[in-house]
Structure formats: C-alpha cells, structure tokens
Amino acid sequence: MTQTPLVEFENLKVRFKGERTVHAINGLNLSLQPGEMLGLLGESGSGKSVTLKTLLRLLPPKRSELEGSVRVNGTDIMTLSGNALASYRGGDVSMVFQEPALALDPVYTIGDQIAETVMRHKGIGKTAAMDVALDMLTRVRIPSPERRLKNYPHELSGGMRQRAMIALALSCRPKLLLADEPTTALDATVQIQILLLLRELQKEFGMGVIFVTHDIGVAVEVSDKIAIMYAGNLVETGTTRDVIRNPQHPYTKGLLAANLHGVVKGERLDAIPGSPPALEEPPHCCSFAPRCAFAEDRCRSDLPPVTDLGGGHSVSCVLAASTTTA
Amino acid sequence: MSKTDATNSTSDRGGPRQPLIIAKNLKKHFPIRSGMLNRQTATVHAVDGISFDVKKGETLGIVGESGCGKSTTARLLIGLIELDDGSIIFDGDVLGSDIKLKELRRGVQMVFQDSYASLNPRMTILDSIAFGPKIHDHKDPASVARNLMERVGLDPERFAMRYPHELSGGQRQRVNIARALALSPRLVILDEAVSALDKSVEAQVLNLLSDLREELDLTYVFISHDLNVVRYISDRVLVMYLGEVVEVGPVEAVYKEQAHPYTASLFAAMPSMDPDNRTEEPPLAGDPPNPIDPPTGCRFHTRCRFSESVCSKVKPKLNVIADNPDHLAACHIKDVGSGHSLAAQEAGE
C-alpha cells in the first residue's frame, strides 16, 4: 500500500494526571485508509473515546500527557494550533456524538447551526450556507427539510436529532468522520435506520469513518474493519469478516460469546471473569492476563507480541504467536 | 390482617396453579401541567389497560422501545406509583383489599438499571442490604446481609464497610440484587438491570441471576431492550408498544415466528452479526410516536406497512395465534372477523 493513510497512530500514549494518574492509551498503533469504515470496539474505560478525542485534539491540555504521533493525511496534528487547528476541526475531521440533545445548541435553529459551520469553513454567505444546510437535511432523509431548518433541537425526536447532527458533521465534507456511539441512546428500530444511513453516506461521500461502539452487532453492521480495544490498547484488528468468523484473541472470543447471539436458553454463559484493570500503572505485561483462561507465565511477565496473520488481521497475544511460528 | 399472616405473606398459599401475580387492566396516565395556573394541558398514556399474569417459577421478559410503558408497568407492579385503574393480585390476594403495600413489598422486590443512583451514597453496602430486614423487624439484619453478600459473590470482609462509589458497576449491581433478595421475595422485577453493564460483566450477572432463580425458587419479571438477553433468560415474552400489549407468548414461539408486525420489525432491527448478510432495509421508518397523543385504533398503524382503514378505527383485541393458547397478538390480520383484507387470507391458509 503506497497510499498515504488517512489516519496513522504511531505508538500513541495518553496519560491523565490529577489526584491519580490514569494510563488511558498505552502504545496504540493503528492506521485507516481513505474511504474505510473502522469499527472501534471496546468496553467502558478501554480508551475508545480518548482515541477519538485525541484525534480532534479535545483532551484537556494541562491534565493530559501525550507521546507518540498522530498523523491525519500526512500532517502531524499535534503541531496544529490557532487557525490551522480551527479549520482542521469540523473541516477535515468532524464528529457525531452519542447524545445529540447535548451536542446541539438549544438556542439556535438546526438551519442556523449548520449554516454557521459552513460559513465559517467555506467562507460563503448566509443564503448560500442555508442552501447547503437544506441540501444536507435532505441527504440525511429528514422528512420536510424546509420546515426542519427552522426547528430548534427540542422540537425534533431523538432519531431526527441524530440525523441533524450527522447533517451538521458532514456539511463541510470532512475526509474523516468520527462517530462516538452515535446510536447507543436510540431505540432499536431507529438505531438500524441511522446505521444504514451512515453506511450509505460514507459510500456517497467516500470519507473515512471511525465508529466507536461497545456493541459488537452494531460494529458488524457498519464497518469494513474492526479494531478491538482493551485497557488502552488494541488486542485484535482485522476485516470484519476475519474478526467475527475467526477471532484469535481470548478477549474477542469472550466478547462474541457475551453477545448471546444464538445462545441456548438456560445454558451457562461463558462469562469473562473479573473486571477490567484500573490503569493506574502502565502495563508491563498482557493487560488481559488476570482474566484470561489461557494465561501462562510469560503473559504475566512480558508484553504480548503483535502477530500479523495476513490480510490485515493482527492479534496481540502469545497464543497466536506460537501457532503461526509452529 | 393479623401479624402472623403478614409474616407468612412470602410463603406459597394459592398453590402451583395460582399465578404469582396477575395484572388486570392496569392503567396509568401522567398529567402534564404547564402555564401560569399549572393547569393540566396534556396526558401521557404511559400504560393503557394492560393485563398479564406471571406464573410461579417462570421468567417473563418485557420488551419494547422507550416510552412504551415497560418501566411504568414495573413500578405499578411493586406499588411505587399508584394505579389509575385496574388491579394487582399477588398469589390470590388483591392489593389494597386483601394485602397492604408493605406486605406486597415482602413478596415483590425490584432491581433498577442505574446501580449507582439506586443506592444511598451515605450508607455502607452492609447497611443498604440490611435496611429492608431492619424495617421488617428481622432479628439480625446484619447477618442476613453478610450471607447475601457472600451469595452474590462479594466478600463481606472486603466489601461490607465500603460505600457505593468505591465499587465497580458490576459489583454495585450485585449489591442491588442482594438488597432485593434481603426480604426473601418470591418475585423480583429486573428493570434493565444488566443494560448499563459492560458485556463481559453482563454475562457474569446473568449467570448469577440464573443460579439464584434455581436456588431460591424465584420468579422474575425481566425488562430489557436487548432481545438476545431476553431470549436467554425468559420463558415467556411480552411485547409492548405505546402503553399496550401487542404480543405475548412463549419465548421460542415468538422468536421463531412473530405474529405482530411490530414484533417482527423489532426483531428485524437487531444487528445481524453476519458480515456477509447485513441488514439492507430498515424495517421501520421514523421514531415511535409520542405517548402523549397516541394514534387511534391500533396504535402501530401509523408505522405499519400492512395498515388498512380498519386499523386506524378499531382497536385490535389479543387473539390466539396458530392454535397455541399461550401465544397471543393484538393485530387485525390475525383476527378473521376484523375486516382486514389479509385476515381472510390468513384464515384460508
């Protein structure tokens, strides 16, 4: 692949200081090609949201310490400041949040909010910007978009608000869209509508998408690739098909079992024991070892090697390493 | 009612055939007040005439989208909010006339979704669990609490004196389960009790709930929006839409073939889990309507693709599906005499 990756994380480390130190991200390596849809999957505290916030430079500067590099389209985003940062945010990269009711401004109409973004980034007048806003509302399939332009966020239903949020995020045609659990707060029948909409718009606009979710089913529904995070690092990455059909990491297997898809009633669940680590120390061994049924001595003494299984499928586990070399 | 009766209210009286709890035509409307004079301007039809029973030892799953009245139903069952109409019959005793609320609460307990908000932040874990037995004049509430903590997998030595904020979400939910069990109830209502937990922890808690059910002979009402979880834990499932029951039946029958178009859409909306066979068409358009002003006739007719004129005019009754007397659905298509064009076809088949 000679193409410049759209996003490239190189050995990213994020630490939060304060009363107690939290090692939120511990040496993340991940890349995303233009036009690719990546599902970033993990439980609470695994570092998915911190990864997205790092990409938008939204972490509190005084309290967070970063190491490693993050490049978007070849530019090291850590060097951005002032106007360059402002046009990067919302222009090149934008984000859809979990709770649209909180992310949208309650005192401006939907049309004004979209138009403001467009005017700011594209430097066009209000009338032209309103046309863009109308076009965006049509594209996200909001019924009677002319009327909705003049609505305030509280006048829309949950699903409609999330559509408006997507319209806002896509109004400047970003190359990269970050979606942080965009359907978690929605009802099941609305969730599937939004997932399919995002899939379509991604194809239409050809943008790269990082879709953060804790729901493995949602990730399967939207993504080309899946990356699974645990305790601030990736445990397994690969095409959606490889990860779902042929999971290698014990944690991935546990997550798939915990989804209860096709489980027999009354059968005992194969639950992963224990709970995720507190991340007060940087990991010196496999973070999953204390909960892993296959843990060996070396899992508790050394960091697990990352094994490339081919076809972009890589796993960070000693078990996968030993099977490929054997 | 004498005192001896009250202490016996948790033992079986009606026999195995008497349903543990019968909900008859439950109705709960919430007024919305606004303006300077705080006059009632609208009504939320949260629960609108629903009836069901829960048999002894079974688990009844209740599913539906937000605003369909699942949680209101749960709160009505345990008497947290007052009924507008209808009655609750606990093992043959009518709430209000035969048994009092405090007696009902010995037999029915509840676990809520938000494990943190439902615990008193200023009470230690031990005190929280021992609170119920203390109120109900138990001799040694602390030892009850310690035993229960051990039972739900929390070491009393380590956790008894801790406060809720010192525990993880999974541990707090175990405390809530222990607290619900402290009065040896026969029915436990689990209102999205595992929904806020991470998937790996959720599986642990589900295993615990299955063990407890067997050991303590419990009956569960399990409310959830996750159809996979409901299928795993329930014997029967009840589907609600805008304050009404649209379908009820044995889990396997309903999961195999959904009789009501809404149930079918709800199942089709589940993510497919098959990367080669992803969902292509959303099964329903739009959001669920507002329960303030629910549609007339069949409440689902505004989103139903089989909707005909009869659907907007006449409220459908619950009909038996496919000769299975336990499987009922409220749809005109399943009612031969309804006048829906598809009903005749169904009958002809």
Side-chain angles (χ1 to χ4, degrees):
Chain A
M1 264 180 246
T2 48
Q3 211 174 2
T4 339
L6 179 59
V7 184
E8 208 173 8
F9 290 100
E10 228 180 274
N11 201 22
L12 176 73
K13 288 181 184 164
V14 179
R15 257 190 318 276
F16 294 118
K17 297 171 303 181
E19 265 176 52
R20 53 185 266 261
T21 307
V22 177
H23 295 258
I25 308 274
N26 304 302
L28 179 77
N29 287 296
L30 179 68
S31 69
L32 182 78
Q33 297 299 323
E36 223 172 27
M37 196 140 173
L38 173 80
L40 194 57
L41 196 68
E43 298 182 292
S44 43
S46 61
K48 340 179 271 289
S49 294
V50 176
T51 307
L52 290 197
K53 284 186 180 156
T54 313
L55 262 176
L56 268 185
R57 294 271 309 271
L58 286 175
L59 296 176
K62 283 192 181 144
R63 286 187 43 231
S64 36
E65 272 176 12
L66 286 91
E67 264 174 63
S69 76
V70 185
R71 282 190 295 277
V72 174
N73 252 334
T75 320
D76 184 352
I77 60 157
M78 295 306 165
T79 61
L80 295 176
S81 62
N83 279 339
L85 182 61
S87 77
Y88 164 79
R89 285 180 184 153
D92 296 329
V93 181
S94 65
M95 186 149 166
V96 177
F97 295 90
Q98 175 170 353
E99 197 43 84
L102 298 176
L104 293 166
D105 194 324
V107 298
Y108 292 97
T109 62
I110 299 295
D112 280 343
Q113 294 188 48
I114 300 179
E116 186 197 359
T117 314
V118 179
M119 282 155 67
R120 167 74 185 70
H121 285 282
K122 304 275 177 207
I124 54 175
K126 178 88 191 251
T127 338
M130 276 311 233
D131 288 342
V132 175
L134 179 64
D135 173 56
M136 286 314 300
L137 289 189
T138 319
R139 280 171 190 267
V140 296
R141 293 190 199 91
I142 288 184
S144 45
E146 291 87 356
R147 194 156 58 85
R148 295 304 180 188
L149 270 183
K150 300 188 192 74
N151 276 164
Y152 290 91
H154 75 269
E155 294 173 293
L156 306 181
S157 64
M160 205 105 83
R161 269 202 292 264
Q162 196 56 286
R163 285 173 195 266
M165 182 81 227
I166 293 170
L168 173 63
L170 299 185
S171 58
C172 295
R173 304 297 161 94
K175 297 181 198 76
L176 175 65
L177 177 71
L178 309 176
D180 191 1
E181 307 246 11
T183 60
T184 307
L186 301 175
D187 280 320
T189 57
V190 182
Q191 160 169 297
I192 194 81
Q193 298 171 28
I194 299 291
L195 292 179
L196 296 186
L197 175 73
L198 275 172
R199 220 162 72 187
E200 267 171 54
L201 291 172
Q202 186 261 336
K203 281 206 192 86
E204 196 178 319
F205 292 4
M207 61 194 168
V209 179
I210 300 183
F211 191 105
V212 161
T213 175
H214 67 275
D215 186 333
I216 209 161
V218 166
V220 172
E221 208 51 89
V222 295
S223 32
D224 308 317
K225 268 170 68 178
I226 287 185
I228 296 179
M229 282 192 94
Y230 184 78
N233 212 339
L234 295 179
V235 295
E236 184 157 1
T237 332
T239 60
T240 304
R241 196 168 289 119
D242 283 345
V243 173
I244 298 301
R245 294 274 161 77
N246 188 19
Q248 292 298 316
H249 198 283
Y251 179 65
T252 316
K253 291 179 188 169
L255 271 190
L256 279 166
N259 183 58
L260 306 185
H261 189 85
V263 79
V264 180
K265 185 180 148 36
E267 199 173 83
R268 215 168 159 71
L269 296 174
D270 229 345
I272 307 173
S275 48
L279 299 176
E280 278 165 355
E281 301 277 324
H284 63 277
C285 64
C286 175
S287 307
F288 188 61
R291 304 175 75 187
C292 184
F294 309 100
E296 300 166 9
D297 285 342
R298 53 183 171 154
C299 301
R300 298 182 197 96
S301 58
D302 298 304
L303 285 170
V306 178
T307 312
D308 190 352
L309 303 168
H313 193 178
S314 65
V315 187
S316 146
C317 178
V318 291
L319 291 174
S322 51
T323 47
T324 43
T325 47
Chain B
M1 179 159 279
S2 69
K3 196 154 193 255
T4 41
D5 275 341
T7 46
N8 281 339
S9 71
T10 56
S11 62
D12 193 0
R13 278 176 299 161
R17 301 184 81 179
Q18 168 73 38
L20 186 56
I21 204 159
I22 304 175
K24 251 194 197 155
N25 196 26
L26 300 187
K27 208 170 263 183
K28 183 71 196 176
H29 292 179
F30 295 105
I32 294 182
R33 297 177 195 281
S34 59
M36 254 172 44
L37 299 172
N38 215 19
R39 266 192 290 235
Q40 183 173 345
T41 48
T43 313
V44 178
H45 297 246
V47 170
D48 226 357
I50 70 167
S51 304
F52 60 90
D53 53 18
V54 186
K55 298 184 186 76
K56 282 171 184 160
E58 80 165 347
T59 298
L60 176 73
I62 302 185
V63 298
E65 296 177 283
S66 52
C68 74
K70 312 185 289 268
S71 294
T72 306
T73 306
R75 274 150 215 260
L76 289 172
L77 281 182
I78 192 174
L80 276 179
I81 44 179
E82 249 174 82
L83 282 166
D84 286 348
D85 194 14
S87 50
I88 287 166
I89 303 161
F90 183 71
D91 204 4
D93 295 325
V94 180
L95 174 65
S97 57
D98 297 339
I99 50 168
K100 289 197 221 80
L101 195 56
K102 193 173 169 187
E103 290 152 6
L104 178 80
R105 297 253 173 91
R106 296 204 108 180
V108 186
Q109 284 287 316
M110 184 155 169
V111 179
F112 299 86
Q113 170 168 11
D114 189 335
S115 64
Y116 192 61
S118 50
L119 288 170
N120 186 335
R122 294 178 167 222
M123 267 165 120
T124 61
I125 300 310
L126 186 82
D127 287 345
S128 273
I129 301 174
F131 196 79
K134 212 163 87 191
I135 295 295
H136 284 262
D137 304 323
H138 196 281
K139 280 190 247 50
D140 190 2
S143 74
V144 174
R146 281 176 190 278
N147 286 340
L148 277 166
M149 285 183 72
E150 213 147 292
R151 185 59 209 86
V152 298
L154 294 171
D155 181 7
E157 296 302 312
R158 275 177 66 205
F159 292 101
M161 290 304 148
R162 291 203 196 179
Y163 287 90
H165 72 269
E166 297 172 294
L167 269 58
S168 72
Q171 290 167 340
R172 276 199 299 265
Q173 207 56 303
R174 286 172 192 268
V175 173
N176 280 313
I177 292 170
R179 184 179 59 173
L181 297 175
L183 290 173
S184 331
R186 296 166 65 197
L187 177 67
V188 180
I189 299 170
L190 301 147
D191 187 2
E192 302 270 14
V194 297
S195 309
L197 304 176
D198 276 322
K199 276 288 167 193
S200 64
V201 179
E202 181 187 89
Q204 298 169 10
V205 175
L206 286 174
N207 275 339
L208 172 67
L209 288 173
S210 306
D211 293 347
L212 290 171
R213 177 175 53 187
E214 215 146 286
E215 238 168 81
L216 304 172
D217 218 0
L218 293 171
T219 303
Y220 290 150
V221 170
F222 191 92
I223 299 177
S224 178
H225 64 278
D226 187 331
L227 294 170
N228 285 328
V229 174
V230 169
R231 176 182 204 166
Y232 171 71
I233 199 137
S234 315
D235 301 300
R236 283 194 307 141
V237 59
L238 180 115
V239 186
M240 288 184 72
Y241 186 73
L242 287 180
E244 293 182 340
V245 176
V246 295
E247 186 164 351
V248 57
V251 155
E252 287 315 314
V254 175
Y255 277 67
K256 203 171 123 219
E257 200 174 343
Q258 299 92 44
H260 196 284
Y262 174 66
T263 319
S265 311
L266 207 55
F267 278 75
M270 276 163 78
S272 70
M273 281 307 283
D274 180 357
D276 296 315
N277 191 16
R278 306 206 285 200
T279 313
E280 294 304 328
E281 258 319 288
L284 284 182
D287 295 63
N290 198 326
I292 289 176
D293 198 7
T296 55
C298 171
R299 291 191 174 173
F300 185 57
H301 84 262
T302 50
R303 298 170 86 195
C304 183
R305 71 180 114 163
F306 305 110
S307 173
E308 290 184 4
S309 65
V310 58
C311 300
S312 59
K313 288 181 195 127
V314 186
K315 190 187 273 292
K317 292 188 297 287
L318 279 167
N319 292 300
V320 172
I321 302 302
D323 301 326
N324 182 349
D326 292 330
H327 191 182
L328 304 164
C331 178
H332 288 306
I333 299 177
K334 302 291 174 186
D335 183 2
V336 183
S338 68
H340 194 288
S341 65
L342 292 170
Q345 274 179 34
E346 285 267 330
E349 267 170 22

